[in-house]
Amino acid sequence: MISVVVAATGITYASVPLYKVFCQVTGYGGTTKVADKDMAEKMVPVKGSRLITVSFDGTVADSLPWQFRQSQEEIKVVPGESALAFYTAKNISDKNLTGVATYNVFPLKAGAYFNKIQCFCFEEQRLGAGEELDMPVLFFIDPEMLNDPSMDNVNHVTLSYMFFKTDEASESEENE
């Protein structure tokens, strides 16, 4: 009986990270994919392909006293073309704070084809009191999107981020 309780507890703690990995691998629920280096290096823009407009959105949870916004409204790309976009975050408090960004794309079905090569969202971000930071995201849309009939009418994708405050920093970390 104890082993069942221990196993159930272990599964409970592992479910969130496993679900996150599942979503990143499959693009489920609008979660973007993380491109591996080999895949990213093989990407070539598809000549003659339709343009996809990628819009950007950035918000912050009420618990995190930061300003966070996209640096550009949109970028037009063709599938297979890598693109670089920037967001800007500013800590408007008088304390050092750490935040983490969640993300998704809309329409949700585009998540399976939206690949990030590099992103500020892969790690927690720590900003000192009053600090402002430009945060890049390097991405591409997988050309396989063009072979998916359910994506024929998708010419616009929105990439959204929301920053949340992570656990409270210790007093010694806040004074760093």
Side-chain angles (χ1 to χ4, degrees):
M1 183 63 157
I2 292 177
S3 62
V4 171
V5 171
V6 170
T9 303
I11 289 170
T12 301
Y13 281 106
S15 64
V16 172
L18 289 175
Y19 181 73
K20 183 177 178 182
V21 168
F22 169 78
C23 291
Q24 288 175 338
V25 169
T26 64
Y28 180 77
T31 301
T32 63
K33 295 171 115 182
V34 177
D36 64 35
K37 186 177 178 181
D38 291 336
M39 183 179 183
E41 288 175 354
K42 292 178 186 174
M43 281 297 116
V44 177
V46 177
K47 291 184 181 184
S49 174
R50 70 182 192 266
L51 282 175
I52 307 295
T53 301
V54 180
S55 298
F56 304 95
D57 181 46
T59 57
V60 180
D62 291 339
S63 63
L64 182 62
W66 284 9
Q67 294 173 339
F68 178 66
R69 66 190 179 286
Q70 66 277 12
S71 298
Q72 62 286 305
E73 293 296 319
E74 63 184 34
I75 294 176
K76 295 185 184 302
V77 298
V78 295
E81 174 185 14
S82 61
L84 181 63
F86 285 90
Y87 286 76
T88 302
K90 182 175 183 178
N91 179 351
I92 56 175
S93 78
D94 59 356
K95 295 182 175 157
N96 299 337
L97 296 171
T98 303
V100 64
T102 61
Y103 51 87
N104 68 353
V105 296
F106 186 83
L108 299 179
K109 62 186 176 181
Y113 301 102
F114 198 101
N115 290 265
K116 293 181 191 172
I117 301 167
Q118 294 177 342
C119 184
F120 60 87
C121 61
F122 294 161
E123 299 176 352
E124 291 181 343
Q125 300 295 320
R126 185 160 179 80
L127 295 179
E131 181 180 4
E132 183 171 304
L133 182 65
D134 288 330
M135 299 178 170
V137 57
L138 180 62
F139 67 92
F140 65 88
I141 296 175
D142 191 329
E144 284 299 313
M145 171 186 169
L146 300 171
N147 299 326
D148 183 345
S150 73
M151 298 298 289
D152 285 348
N153 64 344
V154 176
N155 297 310
H156 188 238
V157 175
T158 301
L159 175 62
S160 297
Y161 290 95
M162 183 169 201
F163 257 102
F164 292 90
K165 187 176 182 181
T166 58
D167 293 337
E168 294 289 328
S170 69
E171 200 170 307
S172 63
E173 287 178 324
E174 287 184 2
N175 295 326
E176 289 177 353

